[in-house]
């Protein structure tokens, strides 16, 4: 833990005033307060206070004050904090089923993605972590990840061949770029700007808001909307905290989470639109290639996931109309 000891953090988890019986939930995450997901969390905080008439409050610790995503989940498991927000990709390290929503091209588009996440499949997935003391409350929009490059645009799947593409240190991302004929290059995000500038890599992949805030658009003038993954964020409550709430309090929590998820989608859309304006002014060219060839060349990854223990979940996502 970077700043706080576990003993101190344990005092933060669920405080209760003896006189008023007001309860305060602690929520830690690693994003800055300007991020659209943080804004969604603020809506959760406000809505929960409103529904409970002040009986339930949320104390938010942003910017990784209490650790990174993995550390926050570990703190939830031991009951030292109440809630967190993490990427579904991080959750997959604790609850393997979450890996299904990180598969390249598993979602046809954003509409398909949220039809899955906000339907029965998503509801079931949010409950999958209960035996690991992690209960999902809702999914937040974290956009789609697409390729961006320095010297030439990616207008088709064939254009990825031979390119050195920075990817997260994730086996699935490595397999995706390899399947497209590129050379996947895992490296720390903080090193990427210089690597792009110096030609160590030819490109990378991320969503529009991150492409803008990282200022990678100063080096990469081509952004191709292939939308290979829609990896959502997840609002998580530790079951040790959840089980200490009354049934009425739990209803307030679930209702507030649902309201915040809908508000957060609008915050994300606004962030993307603002980002596109910045990119246009900076002279970045936006491409929207046909995704079918990309999907065809990476279908072996989906087939591989179908052989895992949650293969039926993968098929259910694909069959969602």
């Amino acid at each position: 833990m970077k700043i706080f000891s576990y003993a101190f953090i344990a005092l933060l988890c669920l405080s209760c005033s003896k006189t008023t019986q007001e309860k305060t939930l602690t929520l830690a995450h690693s994003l800055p307060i300007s991020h659209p997901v943080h804004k969604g969390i603020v809506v959760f905080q406000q809505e929960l206070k409103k529904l409970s008439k002040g009986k339930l409050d949320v104390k938010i610790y942003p910017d990784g004050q209490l650790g990174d995503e993995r550390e926050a989940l570990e703190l939830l498991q031991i009951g030292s904090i109440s809630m967190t927000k993490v990427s579904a990709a991080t959750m997959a390290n604790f609850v393997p089923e979450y890996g299904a929503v990180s598969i390249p091209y598993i979602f046809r588009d954003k509409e398909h993605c949220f039809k899955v996440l906000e339907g029965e499949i998503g509801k079931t997935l949010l409950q999958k972590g209960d035996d690991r003391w992690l209960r999902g409350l809702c999914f937040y929009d974290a956009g789609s990840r697409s390729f961006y490059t320095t010297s030439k645009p990616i207008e088709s799947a064939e254009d990825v061949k031979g390119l050195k593409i920075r990817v997260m240190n994730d086996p699935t991302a490595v397999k995706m770029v390899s399947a497209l004929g590129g050379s996947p290059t895992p490296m720390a995000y903080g090193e990427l700007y210089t690597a792009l500038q110096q030609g160590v890599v030819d490109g990378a992949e991320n969503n529009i808001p991150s492409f803008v805030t990282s200022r990678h658009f100063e080096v990469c003038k081509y952004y191709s909307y292939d939308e290979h993954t829609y990896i959502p964020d997840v609002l998580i409550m530790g079951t040790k905290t959840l089980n200490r709430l009354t049934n009425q309090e739990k209803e307030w929590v679930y209702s507030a989470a649902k309201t915040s998820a809908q508000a957060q989608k609008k915050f994300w859309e606004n962030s993307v639109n603002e980002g596109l304006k910045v990119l246009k002014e900076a002279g970045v060219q936006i491409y929207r290639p046909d995704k079918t060839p990309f999907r065809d060349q990476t279908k072996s990854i989906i087939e591989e996931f179908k052989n895992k223990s949650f293969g039926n979940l993968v098929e259910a996502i694909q069959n969602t109309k």
Side-chain angles (χ1 to χ4, degrees):
M1 187 49 56
K2 299 175 182 177
I3 302 174
F4 297 94
S5 69
Y6 283 104
F8 179 74
I9 293 173
L11 298 176
L12 300 175
C13 182
L14 181 59
S15 60
C16 179
S17 167
K18 293 181 180 179
T19 56
T20 63
Q21 293 301 303
E22 292 178 359
K23 297 176 182 177
T24 299
L25 306 172
T26 55
L27 194 161
H29 68 78
S30 58
L31 298 172
I33 60 175
S34 59
H35 197 282
V37 171
H38 174 81
K39 293 177 181 178
I41 290 171
V42 171
V43 171
F44 171 77
Q45 176 193 50
Q46 295 170 340
E47 186 68 11
L48 185 58
K49 193 167 187 176
K50 175 184 172 183
L51 290 172
S52 68
K53 296 182 180 179
K55 293 179 181 178
L56 284 180
D57 195 11
V58 180
K59 175 65 176 176
I60 304 172
Y61 292 86
D63 286 315
Q65 293 179 48
L66 302 186
D68 60 23
E69 289 195 340
R70 187 179 188 92
E71 289 170 327
L73 287 171
E74 291 171 349
L75 288 174
L76 280 188
Q77 289 180 312
I78 62 176
S80 293
I81 62 174
S82 311
M83 304 179 66
T84 190
K85 184 293 308 172
V86 298
S87 169
T90 303
M91 272 296 287
N93 295 314
F94 293 75
V95 185
E97 289 87 347
Y98 276 88
V101 298
S102 301
I103 303 173
Y105 304 104
I106 185 91
F107 295 117
R108 296 185 293 275
D109 49 35
K110 186 171 183 175
E111 181 182 1
H112 178 218
C113 174
F114 278 96
K115 190 168 288 186
V116 169
L117 297 180
E118 294 175 352
E120 287 303 312
I121 294 175
K123 183 178 178 180
T124 300
L125 187 56
L126 290 172
Q127 297 173 355
K128 285 292 184 181
D130 282 8
D131 60 347
R132 298 168 181 84
W133 307 286
L134 302 170
R135 167 59 69 92
L137 300 180
C138 68
F139 291 101
Y140 286 142
D141 190 354
S144 59
R145 298 179 73 96
S146 295
F147 293 115
Y148 52 89
T149 47
T150 56
S151 59
K152 72 170 188 175
I154 294 176
E155 298 183 77
S156 69
E158 290 294 312
D159 292 332
V160 180
K161 287 184 177 179
L163 294 181
K164 292 176 290 183
I165 303 293
R166 182 269 176 184
V167 295
M168 298 181 289
N169 189 18
D170 171 57
T172 302
V174 170
K175 290 176 183 177
M176 176 190 69
V177 172
S178 294
L180 291 169
S183 176
T185 310
M187 70 170 56
Y189 193 59
E191 300 172 3
L192 181 52
Y193 187 101
T194 302
L196 290 165
Q197 198 173 41
Q198 297 180 350
V200 175
V201 293
D202 302 306
E205 48 87 48
N206 215 321
N207 55 56
I208 288 288
S210 296
F211 181 47
V212 172
T213 56
S214 64
R215 303 198 71 80
H216 291 167
F217 66 87
E218 295 175 344
V219 186
C220 298
K221 295 300 181 180
Y222 309 103
Y223 189 94
S224 299
Y225 259 116
D226 70 291
E227 300 176 309
H228 42 260
T229 52
Y230 287 85
I231 305 175
D233 280 339
V234 197
L235 184 63
I236 304 288
M237 176 174 275
T239 57
K240 292 187 177 180
T241 299
L242 185 65
N243 292 337
R244 291 203 296 269
L245 299 180
T246 66
N247 289 336
Q248 177 62 79
E249 289 169 340
K250 290 175 184 177
E251 288 182 19
W252 290 333
V253 166
Y254 288 124
S255 179
K258 185 176 181 180
T259 297
S260 73
Q262 295 308 308
Q264 188 273 334
K265 284 199 290 186
K266 294 178 182 177
F267 293 138
W268 186 270
E269 184 178 357
N270 291 339
S271 180
V272 170
N273 290 336
E274 290 169 5
L276 287 172
K277 290 179 183 177
V278 171
L279 297 182
K280 183 177 180 180
E281 293 173 359
V284 174
Q285 298 180 46
I286 306 294
Y287 297 86
R288 295 185 180 274
D290 179 7
K291 290 192 285 187
T292 303
F294 289 87
R295 186 176 291 111
D296 289 345
Q297 285 186 222
T298 57
K299 62 183 179 181
S300 61
I301 300 175
I302 293 182
E303 294 305 315
E304 179 183 333
F305 272 87
K306 285 182 179 179
N307 293 324
K308 295 182 180 291
S309 60
F310 51 87
N312 58 337
L313 177 60
V314 175
E315 292 185 354
I317 292 174
Q318 286 187 300
N319 293 332
T320 300
K321 303 299 182 182

